[in-house]
Amino acid sequence: MAAIEALYLRKHFRAKVKGEGFSASLRSLVRPEYRETVAVRDISLTVSEGEIVAFIGPNGAGKSTTIKMMTGILHPTAGSIRVLGYDPVSQRQALSYHIGTVFGQKSQLWFHLPPLDSFRLLASIYEVDRLVYRQRLDDLVERFQIGGLLRTPVRKLSLGERVRCEIAASLLHWPRILFLDEPTIGLDVVVKHRIRELIGELSREDGVTVFLTSHDAGDIEQVCRRAIVIDHGRLVLDLPVKKLKYDYLNRKLVSVRFFEPQSLPAFPGVTAIKETGIAARLSVDTRAQPIGAVISALTGGGNVADITVADPPMEDIIADIFASRKEERS
Amino acid sequence: MTAAKARKYGAILGVSLRSGLMYRGNVLGGLLFYALFIFVFFSLWGTIYRAGGVPGYSLPQMIWYVCVTELIVFGCRSGVFGQISESIKSGAVAYELNRPYHYVFYRFFSALGGIVFSFLFYAASALALGHLFVGPLPNFRLWMLPFVLVSIGLGAVIQFFSYLCLGLSAFFIEENRAFMFIYSKLVLMLGTFIPVEFFPGWLQTVVRYLPFSYITWAPARMAVDFSWGHVASALPLQLAWAAVMIALSLLLYRKGVRRVNVQGG
C-alpha cells in the first residue's frame, strides 16, 4: 500500500476583496466580492512506505497547504487523496493515530511545563499503553539525547533543544508517517546536522515514511532520497535527490576576504560574482571543479583573512530549475 | 465514551492544572483591578444608600453581591476567546486540529486548570475584601455554600462556552471583536454591576430568560439572599443555558472547521 496517494489535488482559497475608501467598505459589507486564488493545482503524487521525500518550493508555492490536506486539516477543493488508505477528510481522527507532525513555527509542547508533562499528555491523547510509553520514551530519550531536558520548562530550552523534544514528542505514538514542515528553520549548523541524522535513522530503523518541507538545500541533500518541487501550486519536478544534486545542487558560493588585495586565480567552473581585490564572492560549479581544490588554491598563498562556503538559497535553485526546463522545452 | 477516551481528557486537565500552578503571571495584576472595582462599587453604592435605600438589597448584601459577580468575571476568566480567534485568524488552529481528541473539549479541559487556580485565588480575595468593606455576609450559613458553588460553577461553564462560541465565530467572520465587546458589556450590565431586580418590569422578564444574567446574577443572588425558590428556578435555567452553549459551540465548530482557510506556505 502506498503511504500517500494524491490524484489531481486542488485547493482554492476565497479571499474577500475590498476597494479603497469608505463607500467601498460599505459596499463590501452589503455585497462582498471574493477573489479566488489557487494554492494547489492538480498535484498528483505517490509516496511509498519508508521513503524520505523532500517537498520543496519557494514561499507561497503551496507546500504547507498540501501537507495540511494530507493531514486532514484542509479539505481539498477537488481531487482525491489517500493517506495510509484513509481519507483524511472524513477519517481525520482515525488517521491522526498513525501520523506525526512537526511544524517548525508552532510548538506542540506546553510552554510553561517541562517536556515530560507534554509527553505524558500526548501519550494519553494518542492512547498509548503506559508500559509501551515508558519503553518508547526511554528509546527516544536516548536517541535524541534529551534526558537532561525532560524536567526543564520548555520556555527555558534553546531552539535546538526544543526542536529535538518536538520531534521526539511527535514520535511517541509510533506514527507510520512523519510530516515535518521546516524542521530545521532557525537552527545552527551543528544542531541541523544532528536533526538530519536523526531523521535518517528514524527512517532506516523504524521504517517511518518521512515527508519533509524545507527551504534549506542541505536538508534535502543530506536527508532525502527523492525530491518533489512545486511552484505556484504546480508540481514542477519529481526526481531522485542524486539527480537533483547533480543537475541543480552543483553550485557552492564562496565568500573570501584577503589581508592584502590580490587578483583571483583563474579556474574552470569558477565565476566571480563580485570582486573588489580585498574580497570576492565566487560561484563554483562542483562538477567542473571540486570545492576543495578551489579553497586550497585560494588559501595557498596565506593571504586569506576569512572564507565561507555556502549553498545557494533555495530560491536560486528553483530559478535554475525553471530556467533549465524552459531551455528543454524550447 | 471509553475509559481511554475519558482518561485522555483527565490527562489534559492534569497538565492544565500543572501549567496553571507554574504560570500565575497575570493573576496579581487582575487582583489590583478586582480590588479597585470592589472599592468603586463600595463608594458608589454607599452614596446611593445614604441618599435612600434600595429595595431588596441591604448595603452589605449589595457589596457581597458585587464581590461574587466580579469573582466569576475575573476569577473564571480563561482568555479562550482571544486564543481561539487568534489561532483561527493566524492559521495556527491547524496544528491543534489533527489530533485524536475533540477540539472543543480539549479547549475546555486545557483552560479548566488555569480557571481552578485563579478562582481559588480570587475567592480568597473576595472573602477578604468583602469582610474588609462591609463585614460578614448577613444570614449566610455554611450549608448554603455547596448550592452557591454549584451555581457559580454553572455560571462559569456558561461563560466559558459563550466565549468559546464567540471565538469560533472567527471561522465565519474575520473581525469578530465587536461581538465580544457587545457580549461582555451585556454581561456587565445585565447582572454583574446591577442586579436583575433593579430593572423595570418588562425588561426584568426579558432578562430572566436570557443567558447573560445566569452567569453572574443567579449565583450572586443565591449567595446574598438564599431562598429555595431561587435555587429551584435558577439552577435548572443555568443547566439549560449551559447545555445550549455547549451544543452551540459543538455546532459552530462542526460547521466552522470545514471552512478553515489556512493560507501560506
Side-chain angles (χ1 to χ4, degrees):
Chain A
M1 186 180 56
I4 302 169
E5 213 168 3
L7 264 181
Y8 301 108
L9 202 58
R10 204 169 237 281
K11 180 69 189 176
H12 296 191
F13 285 115
R14 230 162 54 127
K16 222 184 229 176
V17 282
K18 191 179 76 73
E20 260 177 56
F22 183 67
S23 64
S25 301
L26 274 182
R27 213 176 315 126
S28 89
L29 261 182
V30 184
R31 185 152 24 101
E33 278 172 48
Y34 293 95
R35 190 187 49 208
E36 286 236 315
T37 52
V38 185
V40 172
R41 303 170 199 260
D42 304 328
I43 285 190
S44 300
L45 57 92
T46 308
V47 177
S48 309
E49 280 203 62
E51 268 192 289
I52 312 186
V53 177
F55 197 54
I56 43 188
N59 270 329
K63 294 181 306 239
S64 292
T65 305
T66 308
I67 283 205
K68 280 169 190 152
M69 285 194 279
M70 288 174 174
T71 51
I73 294 161
L74 285 177
H75 297 200
T77 311
S80 77
I81 183 160
R82 290 257 145 194
V83 178
L84 296 168
Y86 293 98
D87 172 12
V89 171
S90 61
Q91 299 171 292
R92 190 179 71 216
Q93 289 245 343
L95 174 64
S96 68
Y97 286 99
H98 305 290
I99 58 174
T101 44
V102 176
F103 296 96
Q105 302 94 330
K106 169 78 188 175
S107 177
Q108 55 189 329
L109 306 169
W110 286 56
F111 194 58
H112 297 290
L113 293 178
L116 196 57
D117 283 322
S118 297
F119 287 176
R120 272 197 215 117
L121 174 65
L122 286 166
S124 24
I125 285 178
Y126 286 98
E127 297 168 32
V128 180
D129 178 84
R130 246 164 240 195
L131 275 175
V132 176
Y133 161 68
R134 219 153 279 161
Q135 282 172 6
R136 180 65 163 168
L137 183 66
D138 287 345
D139 173 38
L140 291 171
V141 162
E142 199 195 325
R143 262 201 231 180
F144 286 77
Q145 297 169 333
I146 48 175
L149 314 175
L150 287 180
R151 285 165 219 287
T152 312
V154 171
R155 63 165 190 275
K156 290 188 182 153
L157 298 180
S158 73
L159 182 63
E161 292 170 336
R162 213 198 73 203
V163 171
R164 259 150 58 206
C165 292
E166 295 276 356
I167 300 181
S170 71
L171 292 168
L172 284 167
H173 58 286
W174 300 90
R176 285 159 63 197
I177 306 183
L178 187 59
F179 290 97
L180 298 162
D181 198 0
E182 306 276 0
T184 61
I185 201 160
L187 296 177
D188 65 58
V189 186
V190 181
V191 182
K192 261 184 193 171
H193 184 68
R194 182 80 198 113
I195 300 275
R196 286 166 188 162
E197 275 180 356
L198 284 168
I199 296 171
E201 242 176 69
L202 266 173
S203 149
R204 274 196 307 279
E205 288 169 20
D206 297 3
V208 178
T209 310
V210 178
F211 198 84
L212 174 148
T213 75
S214 184
H215 255 83
D216 190 321
D219 280 352
I220 296 140
E221 231 183 302
Q222 291 165 30
V223 182
C224 303
R225 263 161 261 163
R226 174 180 166 197
I228 297 172
V229 181
I230 69 167
D231 189 51
H232 290 103
R234 249 188 258 277
L235 201 143
V236 181
L237 216 56
D238 182 348
L239 79 182
V241 166
K242 259 190 193 151
K243 179 134 176 52
L244 180 81
K245 224 162 159 174
Y246 185 78
D247 289 351
Y248 304 105
L249 301 178
N250 47 27
R251 277 194 311 129
K252 295 272 177 196
L253 298 176
V254 178
S255 307
V256 62
R257 201 155 47 78
F258 302 109
F259 290 117
E260 301 289 330
Q262 73 163 72
S263 62
L264 290 168
F267 265 113
V270 177
T271 43
I273 304 170
K274 214 176 107 188
E275 192 183 348
T276 59
I278 191 84
R281 268 167 75 79
L282 309 170
S283 169
V284 180
D285 183 343
T286 48
R287 283 174 304 183
Q289 194 61 248
I291 189 76
V294 178
I295 290 173
S296 34
L298 284 168
T299 50
N303 189 26
V304 168
D306 189 14
I307 186 161
T308 51
V309 182
D311 288 311
M314 188 51 75
E315 277 69 16
D316 291 3
I317 297 170
I318 306 252
D320 278 0
I321 292 173
F322 275 102
S324 67
R325 278 167 60 84
K326 261 184 209 136
E327 269 168 39
E328 274 169 38
R329 258 186 245 130
S330 58
Chain B
M1 208 191 277
T2 64
K5 294 241 164 18
R7 235 196 345 262
K8 199 179 289 194
Y9 295 103
I12 298 170
L13 175 60
V15 161
S16 89
L17 278 169
R18 247 165 292 154
S19 180
L21 196 62
M22 301 280 277
Y23 182 65
R24 286 153 300 194
N26 49 14
V27 174
L28 275 175
L31 178 65
L32 209 68
F33 272 96
Y34 180 74
L36 193 69
F37 264 116
I38 305 293
F39 175 72
V40 166
F41 276 90
F42 172 68
S43 315
L44 182 70
W45 286 115
T47 314
I48 294 172
Y49 274 83
R50 269 196 299 281
V54 175
Y57 290 83
S58 66
L59 181 62
Q61 276 181 319
M62 200 58 237
I63 297 309
W64 277 102
Y65 179 92
V66 181
C67 284
V68 175
T69 59
E70 293 290 358
L71 165 62
I72 297 166
V73 170
F74 276 92
C76 303
R77 207 167 30 180
S78 59
V80 71
F81 168 81
Q83 289 160 11
I84 292 193
S85 310
E86 228 8 82
S87 95
I88 291 174
K89 281 180 215 161
S90 72
V93 70
Y95 313 118
E96 296 161 331
L97 291 179
N98 64 343
R99 294 197 190 285
Y101 51 53
H102 196 293
Y103 179 70
V104 168
F105 295 115
Y106 167 73
R107 275 288 174 191
F108 176 69
F109 284 105
S110 59
L112 194 55
I115 293 178
V116 166
F117 281 110
S118 89
F119 174 79
L120 291 174
F121 183 76
Y122 277 97
S125 317
L127 286 173
L129 287 168
H131 279 93
L132 178 71
F133 284 121
V134 288
L137 177 59
N139 298 325
F140 188 78
R141 303 281 170 273
L142 212 56
W143 59 262
M144 300 170 187
L145 191 63
F147 294 95
V148 175
L149 285 180
V150 167
S151 185
I152 289 178
L154 285 170
V157 168
I158 303 174
Q159 172 169 262
F160 179 87
F161 283 97
S162 310
Y163 282 143
L164 193 115
C165 285
L166 290 168
L168 289 173
S169 70
F171 275 129
F172 308 94
I173 292 149
E174 279 158 54
E175 200 36 82
N176 62 349
R177 258 175 306 185
F179 294 144
M180 170 68 179
F181 185 78
I182 295 167
Y183 177 87
S184 58
K185 296 302 164 286
L186 279 172
V187 173
L188 283 186
M189 294 320 293
L190 306 179
T192 306
F193 288 166
I194 307 161
V196 170
E197 289 83 0
F198 292 4
F199 290 116
W202 64 272
L203 185 58
Q204 225 184 98
T205 322
V206 175
V207 169
R208 274 172 198 270
Y209 286 100
L210 293 176
F212 311 106
S213 53
Y214 291 93
I215 296 173
T216 54
W217 167 76
R221 171 88 198 166
M222 202 177 289
V224 302
D225 186 17
F226 191 90
S227 77
W228 291 112
H230 178 67
V231 172
S233 73
L235 286 187
L237 272 163
Q238 280 195 299
L239 265 176
W241 276 117
V244 167
M245 284 308 168
I246 294 172
L248 187 62
S249 47
L250 293 179
L251 183 77
L252 280 176
Y253 170 74
R254 244 203 5 227
K255 296 264 173 230
V257 76
R258 278 185 223 146
R259 303 170 50 115
V260 186
N261 240 352
V262 199
Q263 284 267 29

